[in-house]
Amino acid sequence: MNSKFSWQNKILIFLVGVIAIILIYAKIFMWGMGYFEGQQVTLAQSIQVVVESLTTSGYGGFAPWESDFMNYFILWMNFTGLALLFIAFPVFFIPSLKNVMSRDIPRKINKQDHVIICDYSSYTEALIEELNSRNKDYVIIEDEEEKAKGLMETGFNVMLGDPEQKEILEAACIDKATAVVIHTDIYKNISTIFTVKNIETNAKVIAILRDENMKVYYDLAGADITIAPRQLVGKTLAEQIPAVSINDSVEIDNNLEIVEIDIQDGSELCDQVIGKTDLLKQYNINIIGAWVKGEFQSPVHIDLELSSNTRLLVAGFSEELENLTKKAVAKTRDFTRNEVLILGYGQSGQAVAEVLRNTSVSVKVVDIEDKEGVDIIGDVREPKVLSELGVEDASAIIITIRDDTAALFATLMSRNKNRQANIIVRANDKGDVQKLYQAGADYVQSLATVSGRMLASCIFEDETSIAANKQINLIQLPVGSLAGKTLAGADVRAQTGCTILVVIRGDERFPKVDPNDFVFRDGDEVILAGTDESTQEFERRYLN
């Protein structure tokens, strides 16, 4: 029996009950008037008196009554009316009526080229933001009715059902879906994977792992793609330790690469205005964007002053990038301050340590629990623990605590004790990112955001995410209406925010083009770098 039918039954029972009370009271009133008052009344007159008594609106010409029985009976009808009005009606009838009138949670949908999301979480919420930015349809399958109702009221696309059941996935049009994303407990995930594999569909199964060690079981079950956000974020945080190596860069073709470069205090580039550095002419370097105090800017304004809080995302040739990197690094370095502290040794913290221990960096770890790999056991919110760890002398502090409130406090104390350290923090809740920056963090990575971008890069095969942490996409597109124009004449970067890195003409690639002389032709394609919004603006402006 479905919910709507149940609500209708409740209303029907309520109405039948009220009618029964009216008829019973009417018969009693007819009998009482004849027996005690010596007056005969019709059924219609009796019903009128009962309704007037229940609604406390009057008694017509029958009042007053001589007998005690009739007076007490009238009082009893008054109390019954009050009970119906103030108790039964608002508690029983109104909620049932609201449920009947409210929009039902669908149990079947009609979609195609969509993403099926099994279970809602902060990770999948970030994915939905990515899907919405790309106009990609989706549906969340939720087996708890109240949770599904809450999601639907919030504006999400939801259907009710258990994704472990074949008929539910078929009702979600899995045969027309692009991907199925699963993120709940491992037992339910594995069961759902088997269900998907028993249905004829081309949809990819993408599993979000809570523990990377469980990957083998997902692979055995048949998951097409598995991602472990906590471990990935840990490795991402470790990569924030300056300076960025060209070996860690993203290769666009055989020669051209993208790297992140941190501007160091005392370097030749520090405190210079970006427009006066003339990087394109000196090094053939394209500046795609910049992180300034944790916020990504693309395109970069020519008046931006490069400071030690600036990280550039640039594209260029390896040799020229090496020269630029030297300019970004300080001429003199204190090589005694090369110790990195890791606060929190869960999955992300362990991933950080694994990356850093393969380098020349000295690593110290603190965690509230005694486990292998932990150097100091203690609560990082206590100043004595941070002092014992040597936070004052650290060159970088990476905070991967499960509780964002504790991470906020640890960031605040760490910044107070060490003004120069590079503080890198993992945020569990996207809403806490800005707070962590305000507390003194140099770089904050949202676990949910990373997961969303990873999932999006798995779903969209026509576009490549450079990395989850870079917040930039590489995409290859035709030039469209740019044909016949020059790069300078079209002013693509100013119009869209995109940076054109390579022009493809037949079998030839042009990573270096003169913006004033090179003319785009029909059939040309370009490799763009830009944010979601800027690449969409390019498509809207030149391809529609």
Side-chain angles (χ1 to χ4, degrees):
M1 181 181 292
N2 62 34
S3 299
K4 181 177 179 181
F5 186 65
S6 175
W7 295 333
Q8 288 176 332
N9 273 352
K10 289 178 182 178
I11 293 176
L12 182 61
I13 291 168
F14 181 84
L15 293 175
V16 169
V18 171
I19 292 171
I21 289 172
I22 292 173
L23 291 175
I24 291 170
Y25 283 4
K27 296 295 286 186
I28 295 172
F29 183 80
M30 287 176 65
W31 173 79
M33 286 297 291
Y35 189 84
F36 293 103
E37 302 292 331
Q39 184 178 353
Q40 298 300 316
V41 294
T42 65
L43 179 62
Q45 290 173 323
S46 298
I47 291 174
Q48 180 185 1
V49 172
V50 172
V51 171
E52 288 173 342
S53 297
L54 293 177
T55 58
T56 66
S57 60
Y59 305 103
F62 295 98
W65 291 273
E66 299 294 332
S67 65
D68 290 340
F69 174 84
M70 290 305 296
N71 282 296
Y72 286 132
F73 180 61
I74 295 300
L75 285 173
W76 178 255
M77 285 197 293
N78 290 156
F79 283 126
T80 303
L82 290 173
L84 288 172
L85 181 63
F86 293 109
I87 299 175
F89 193 79
V91 172
F92 183 85
F93 181 77
I94 292 178
S96 298
L97 185 61
K98 282 183 177 178
N99 283 331
V100 169
M101 296 179 66
S102 64
R103 187 161 58 99
D104 290 335
I105 306 167
R107 295 171 180 270
K108 187 175 182 179
I109 61 167
N110 184 19
K111 295 179 183 287
Q112 61 182 8
D113 193 30
H114 59 294
V115 177
I116 298 173
I117 301 171
C118 302
D119 200 56
Y120 173 82
S121 67
S122 59
Y123 298 165
T124 52
E125 182 181 0
L127 168 63
I128 290 167
E129 291 179 7
E130 294 286 337
L131 296 176
N132 287 335
S133 73
R134 293 166 166 83
N135 297 316
K136 184 77 168 178
D137 205 356
Y138 71 91
V139 65
I140 303 169
I141 300 180
E142 176 56 56
D143 58 1
E144 295 181 17
E145 187 170 338
E146 287 304 313
K147 186 175 178 181
K149 188 184 297 182
L151 289 171
M152 189 173 68
E153 290 172 354
T154 308
F156 291 105
N157 301 334
V158 188
M159 67 169 280
L160 190 62
D162 182 355
E164 295 179 75
Q165 304 300 319
K166 180 180 178 181
E167 58 270 20
I168 296 299
L169 290 176
E170 288 175 340
C173 298
I174 190 172
D175 57 319
K176 302 175 184 177
T178 303
V180 179
V181 178
I182 56 175
H183 181 228
T184 181
D185 65 80
I186 183 170
Y187 307 109
K188 189 168 184 176
N189 285 348
I190 296 297
S191 175
T192 303
I193 293 171
F194 279 118
T195 305
V196 174
K197 293 302 177 181
N198 287 325
I199 301 173
E200 190 173 340
T201 177
N202 293 321
K204 294 182 290 188
V205 178
I206 306 172
I208 307 174
L209 276 57
R210 299 176 190 265
D211 185 350
E212 195 173 29
N213 295 325
M214 297 293 105
K215 183 179 186 302
V216 61
Y217 302 109
Y218 285 90
D219 292 341
L220 289 171
D224 298 297
I225 301 170
T226 56
I227 64 171
R230 291 185 180 276
Q231 284 87 349
L232 175 78
V233 168
K235 293 173 183 176
T236 300
L237 295 179
E239 291 169 359
Q240 305 310 310
I241 305 298
V244 175
S245 168
I246 290 181
N247 292 333
D248 296 330
S249 61
V250 179
E251 190 174 80
I252 301 170
D253 64 11
N254 292 332
N255 300 305
L256 199 63
E257 296 180 276
I258 284 183
V259 298
E260 289 177 334
I261 296 180
D262 287 278
I263 305 299
Q264 300 288 299
D265 267 331
S267 68
E268 291 186 28
L269 291 180
C270 190
D271 298 328
Q272 287 197 47
V273 175
I274 207 164
K276 295 181 179 179
T277 59
D278 208 5
L279 298 180
L280 182 60
K281 286 186 177 178
Q282 286 192 49
Y283 303 101
N284 291 310
I285 296 297
N286 269 308
I287 300 177
I288 298 170
W291 281 268
V292 182
K293 295 182 179 178
E295 292 187 8
F296 185 73
Q297 300 178 10
S298 179
V300 179
H301 199 276
I302 59 173
D303 294 333
L304 175 67
E305 184 176 314
L306 300 175
S307 68
S308 58
N309 290 321
T310 306
R311 170 177 290 145
L312 297 176
L313 183 63
V314 300
F317 292 93
S318 301
E319 184 178 340
E320 290 158 339
L321 286 172
E322 288 177 3
N323 293 331
L324 178 62
T325 302
K326 292 175 184 177
K327 295 283 185 181
V329 177
K331 291 182 178 178
T332 59
R333 280 187 176 185
D334 185 355
F335 286 100
T336 61
R337 299 188 65 216
N338 61 351
E339 188 165 79
V340 176
L341 307 183
I342 301 174
L343 312 187
Y345 202 57
Q347 295 178 29
S348 296
Q350 291 171 25
V352 171
E354 182 182 351
V355 172
L356 294 181
R357 282 171 177 158
N358 292 325
T359 68
S360 59
V361 173
S362 173
V363 178
K364 275 188 181 180
V365 177
V366 62
D367 195 87
I368 201 166
E369 296 179 6
D370 185 7
K371 59 180 78 171
E372 185 179 352
V374 174
D375 299 299
I376 296 173
I377 303 166
D379 190 338
V380 295
R381 292 171 294 185
E382 297 179 6
K384 65 178 182 180
V385 173
L386 291 180
S387 296
E388 184 181 353
L389 193 62
V391 70
E392 295 89 350
D393 300 319
S395 58
I397 302 165
I398 300 179
I399 302 173
T400 61
I401 304 172
R402 184 178 296 274
D403 180 14
D404 280 355
T405 303
L408 187 69
F409 196 68
T411 302
L412 193 65
M413 289 196 302
S414 298
R415 178 55 72 208
N416 182 55
K417 288 178 176 291
N418 189 331
R419 308 303 297 181
Q420 301 299 319
N422 193 23
I423 299 179
I424 302 157
V425 189
R426 182 199 74 194
N428 298 287
D429 188 341
K430 188 178 177 181
D432 291 326
V433 170
Q434 192 57 40
K435 293 180 186 178
L436 289 162
Y437 277 122
Q438 291 171 343
D442 296 293
Y443 181 84
V444 182
Q445 185 64 275
S446 165
L447 188 59
T449 301
V450 169
S451 304
R453 296 194 67 82
M454 286 180 67
L455 291 167
S457 68
C458 294
I459 292 168
F460 293 96
E461 296 179 349
D462 60 332
E463 155 176 327
T464 305
S465 291
I466 295 177
N469 62 306
K470 295 189 189 320
Q471 304 177 45
I472 283 289
N473 298 313
L474 257 75
I475 183 169
Q476 184 173 322
L477 293 171
V479 296
S481 61
L482 279 176
K485 300 177 183 177
T486 64
L487 193 60
D491 204 6
V492 173
R493 184 177 295 181
Q495 295 295 327
T496 67
C498 289
T499 301
I500 293 180
L501 304 178
V502 179
V503 179
I504 302 171
R505 179 171 291 166
D507 295 330
E508 292 186 88
R509 292 190 171 216
F510 299 92
K512 287 184 181 181
V513 295
D514 188 310
N516 296 305
D517 296 334
F518 187 90
V519 179
F520 293 108
R521 299 178 185 172
D522 285 328
D524 286 353
E525 293 189 341
V526 290
I527 295 178
L528 299 172
T531 61
D532 293 334
E533 293 78 10
S534 60
T535 54
Q536 288 169 18
E537 177 61 23
F538 182 94
E539 293 183 57
R540 187 194 67 80
R541 186 175 289 270
Y542 302 116
L543 301 183
N544 291 335

